[in-house]
Amino acid sequence: MGAAAKQQPSSTPVFSQSATTELQLEALTRRLWLSRGCATRRVLPAVCVAAALAAAFVVLSAGGGSPNGMPASLFFDDAQGSEDIPPSNLTAEHLLDGLLTAEFSYRSCRSRYEFDGYHKKSSHKPSPYLIAKLRKQEALQKRCGPGTAAHKKALQRLESGEGAAADVEEDNCRYLVNISFRGLGNRMLAIASAFLYAVLTERVLLVDGGKDVADLFCEPFSGATWLLPPAGQRSPLRHLDDYGMESKESLGNMLQSGAVVASADGNVSWSSPRPPPYVYLHLAGGYGYHDKLFYCGTHQRLLRGVPWLLMRTDSYLVPGLFLTSSFLGDLETMFPEKDATFYHLGRYLFHPTNAVWHAVTSYYRSNLAGADRRVGIQIRVFQEKQPPQQILDQLLSCVRDEKLLPEIAATNDTSSRAVLVTSLNSWYSDRIRGEYGDRVTGGVHQPSHEGRQRSGDPAHDMRALSEMYLLSMCDVLVTSGLSTFGYVAQGLGGLHPWVMARAPSWDKWTEDQAAPDPPCQRALSVEPCFHSPSYYDCAARRDVDLDKLVPYIRRCVDVSWGIKLVNESSSQW
């Protein structure tokens, strides 16, 4: 752990359910500020966010804290890092070995430069080629992003319904709009996938900011925004949530409607003289055969000339990109260690805002920093009818079999362990605490218990993001199968989790159904699982076993039909 993580526990109250008011105030103030000032003045989002945080601080300070006694200092801590670190003093650790640049102010987004100090040191470094591609993408975002003449021109053409301009390759300003949905874990995996696709295809990434993205994350690009600006009345970007599998603008439907023609040699081209102004990519779970042709090299060449692509997904598409022939050379050079792909992408893209980061670090210092070993347990229940006791028994069997916590009868274990539990229900942490008692000298901790998932609610998502990062700061991790929440935590922390098998929510649960045996399995890598791959081999024109095509694609231990990236050398983290 870095210097920041080694500080002695402070007296700062823990991040718990009582922090709800603080987060709601901060999120409410941000929305009020955006609606009353920024939205009408068309100010840069980064300026609006900074102003909203300042306004929230005034609101919190004026009352001396929340009605529950939670002081404002939990979210605006000036005890450490109150002064900016001069750019000359930022080390390779601060900059994650070149993933980040020193162009941002330390105070504006403290998580950006403090992240490494709270995580285990890793030998996995970003490749020089990946770093070069990131710098190139940053320049593209700055040259073509919102607020530039190029972006204004592109919007005008889009709203007028014109096809691709003749000089589209000359100005090279093309766009990928991420339409993410579902829970925060799904959305983060979708954004990471869209970002990598944007890098590979040299497109500006724009994220639909209507889903509290600005409340959660700092801007990743200096001098540019990744937030999609409000759309005009005639813009195809105005109602992004309306796009779905049946949309006539989807790639799958265009391939069937005559908008695309195929030649005898298998190549495809647009039937009109120019590519359409935009194409919708439906890549969510349950998508059809024609939509899955997105992963074919011939169809990627078809899409290259389209100025705007709108991508809707709830998955981690990256393993599918590794199976797309036109991207393979770039990807293998960018990520020589395939199982470090999300590890690098997540650390580059996702930097919690100061309010979220303060909640994370305050809770860590108060509850976890003093332990020799931190055990993270993430419980996600997909089957409402599954007995909680069965889930608990499965978890305890996993923990005992893998010796993650002291034996109940052990008398010579002097190490200090702390257990962090994240769940919508406090029942599990209460039972774990009762089971282990004083044998877990660092205590059993659960930051919040929401009862149910409320995706898109700013306060709920802030707590969820905080807990993902707290899990990533643990030494070992036990996660629930199929859970994207767990995927993000393991990827950010570079942790090989023990994964508890879970029945998917669409399967019927029977009362006499036995618990999984074994109770958990070690994941093959820290990479997230891609739940909905295309098994179609574009070259062979038939379905194939994807885990037999290349040595770095394997089936997931928690999702038999899913695939994930592993390292060819099978090196351990």
Side-chain angles (χ1 to χ4, degrees):
M1 291 291 174
K6 292 179 180 177
Q7 293 191 15
Q8 294 299 315
S10 69
S11 58
T12 308
V14 299
F15 176 60
S16 63
Q17 188 72 13
S18 59
T20 302
T21 306
E22 300 285 345
L23 289 168
Q24 288 174 331
L25 279 172
E26 199 263 343
L28 175 61
T29 306
R30 187 191 303 275
R31 291 200 298 273
L32 287 172
W33 180 273
L34 288 171
S35 62
R36 294 178 181 176
C38 295
T40 56
R41 300 171 192 164
R42 298 183 180 273
V43 204
L44 283 176
V47 176
C48 300
V49 169
L53 284 170
F57 177 74
V58 172
V59 172
L60 294 171
S61 300
S66 73
N68 296 322
M70 184 68 68
S73 62
L74 179 59
F75 296 91
F76 298 92
D77 178 21
D78 56 6
Q80 57 172 324
S82 59
E83 299 296 331
D84 279 356
I85 297 178
S88 59
N89 290 349
L90 290 171
T91 65
E93 286 74 23
H94 287 121
L95 301 177
L96 304 182
D97 298 298
L99 274 182
L100 310 180
T101 67
E103 296 182 19
F104 289 88
S105 160
Y106 173 80
R107 185 182 290 180
S108 68
C109 184
R110 287 167 49 181
S111 66
R112 188 186 309 275
Y113 301 132
E114 291 182 1
F115 178 92
D116 182 76
Y118 286 87
H119 288 81
K120 294 170 63 176
K121 300 302 178 186
S122 170
S123 61
H124 299 269
K125 312 297 182 187
S127 69
Y129 189 62
L130 172 60
I131 292 172
K133 295 287 276 188
L134 293 177
R135 299 295 90 85
K136 184 177 180 180
Q137 182 70 23
E138 291 162 0
L140 177 63
Q141 299 276 156
K142 191 178 297 186
R143 179 168 61 86
C144 299
T148 64
H151 180 257
K152 182 179 180 181
K153 177 182 176 182
L155 276 180
Q156 290 172 343
R157 295 189 65 86
L158 176 66
E159 293 180 0
S160 67
E162 297 181 49
D167 60 349
V168 67
E169 289 297 331
E170 180 180 335
D171 62 35
N172 202 31
C173 286
R174 294 169 299 135
Y175 301 86
L176 174 66
V177 177
N178 168 254
I179 313 172
S180 55
F181 66 112
R182 300 196 189 280
L184 182 58
N186 294 86
R187 289 159 54 194
M188 291 176 71
L189 296 181
I191 290 172
S193 303
F195 173 70
L196 182 57
Y197 181 69
V199 171
L200 291 167
T201 57
E202 299 179 334
R203 290 180 179 272
V204 173
L205 173 66
L206 296 176
V207 175
D208 179 11
K211 300 179 175 67
D212 68 15
V213 172
D215 295 307
L216 300 171
F217 303 109
C218 305
E219 294 274 357
F221 310 118
S222 176
T225 181
W226 68 343
L227 296 178
L228 182 70
Q233 289 287 344
R234 297 183 301 165
S235 174
L237 308 178
R238 184 167 179 80
H239 299 289
L240 292 175
D241 288 338
D242 292 344
Y243 290 99
M245 188 180 294
E246 303 303 320
S247 298
K248 68 180 187 302
E249 303 90 351
S250 75
L251 174 64
N253 288 323
M254 286 181 131
L255 291 173
Q256 301 175 77
S257 67
V260 177
V261 295
S263 59
D265 60 2
N267 286 321
V268 292
S269 59
W270 298 107
S271 57
S272 58
R274 291 182 179 178
Y278 71 100
V279 171
Y280 165 63
L281 304 173
H282 185 78
L283 302 175
Y287 58 149
Y289 162 78
H290 290 92
D291 291 305
K292 293 178 180 180
L293 294 178
F294 166 84
Y295 295 104
C296 294
T298 53
H299 294 80
Q300 284 302 318
R301 289 191 289 274
L302 177 77
L303 292 171
R304 181 162 181 80
V306 180
W308 291 81
L309 297 179
L310 318 181
M311 178 186 286
R312 181 183 182 89
T313 185
D314 55 354
S315 297
Y316 183 63
L317 308 179
V318 172
L321 299 180
F322 269 89
L323 293 171
T324 303
S325 58
S326 52
F327 300 144
L328 193 54
D330 261 353
L331 286 171
E332 290 188 337
T333 310
M334 290 165 69
F335 303 103
E337 295 176 299
K338 312 302 185 298
D339 62 346
T341 302
F342 184 80
Y343 179 75
H344 294 313
L345 292 176
R347 289 175 170 226
Y348 174 81
L349 278 177
F350 302 121
H351 309 290
T353 56
N354 284 347
V356 175
W357 187 244
H358 191 174
V360 172
T361 55
S362 296
Y363 192 92
Y364 180 91
R365 293 195 306 271
S366 296
N367 298 281
L368 305 175
D372 298 326
R373 187 174 177 83
R374 286 158 285 274
V375 179
I377 296 175
Q378 182 255 337
I379 300 173
R380 178 74 163 93
V381 179
F382 292 97
Q383 288 282 357
E384 292 184 0
K385 293 184 179 180
Q386 185 176 10
Q389 186 63 49
Q390 189 180 76
I391 297 173
L392 178 66
D393 291 343
Q394 180 186 357
L395 169 64
L396 294 177
S397 295
C398 172
V399 168
R400 289 167 186 153
D401 291 352
E402 304 303 335
K403 297 179 171 51
L404 302 182
L405 289 176
E407 296 288 343
I408 293 178
T411 58
N412 58 350
D413 192 326
T414 59
S415 62
S416 170
R417 287 180 174 89
V419 177
L420 174 73
V421 179
T422 65
S423 172
L424 294 173
N425 193 326
S426 63
W427 186 86
Y428 298 100
S429 60
D430 291 341
R431 297 306 182 278
I432 295 170
R433 192 176 296 111
E435 178 80 13
Y436 280 91
D438 295 338
R439 282 180 296 280
V440 179
T441 56
V444 178
H445 309 278
Q446 181 170 352
S448 70
H449 43 89
E450 297 282 285
R452 63 182 179 85
Q453 187 172 353
R454 292 189 289 272
S455 300
D457 177 89
H460 176 85
D461 284 346
M462 283 177 163
R463 282 190 293 277
L465 184 61
S466 298
E467 293 181 14
M468 288 182 196
Y469 273 83
L470 284 168
L471 285 172
S472 78
M473 295 172 179
C474 292
D475 299 296
V476 295
L477 197 58
V478 180
T479 63
S480 296
L482 282 85
S483 174
T484 55
F485 190 105
Y487 293 164
V488 172
Q490 73 194 42
L492 291 171
L495 298 168
H496 245 87
W498 278 268
V499 184
M500 296 186 294
R502 283 284 178 267
S505 56
W506 54 86
D507 285 350
K508 289 186 178 180
W509 182 266
T510 58
E511 291 186 5
D512 58 347
Q513 189 166 333
D517 184 25
C520 62
Q521 298 182 67
R522 194 77 185 270
L524 298 176
S525 75
V526 307
E527 279 287 294
C529 179
F530 180 17
H531 288 173
S532 52
S534 169
Y535 280 84
Y536 183 73
D537 186 311
C538 304
R541 299 188 182 185
R542 59 182 174 83
D543 286 350
V544 296
D545 291 331
L546 298 181
D547 56 330
K548 293 183 172 58
L549 289 180
V550 291
Y552 49 79
I553 296 286
R554 289 288 180 269
R555 296 290 183 96
C556 309
V557 298
D558 57 324
V559 182
S560 60
W561 60 90
I563 58 174
K564 71 184 306 177
L565 293 169
V566 301
N567 201 18
E568 296 168 86
S569 64
S570 299
S571 64
Q572 296 298 311
W573 285 71

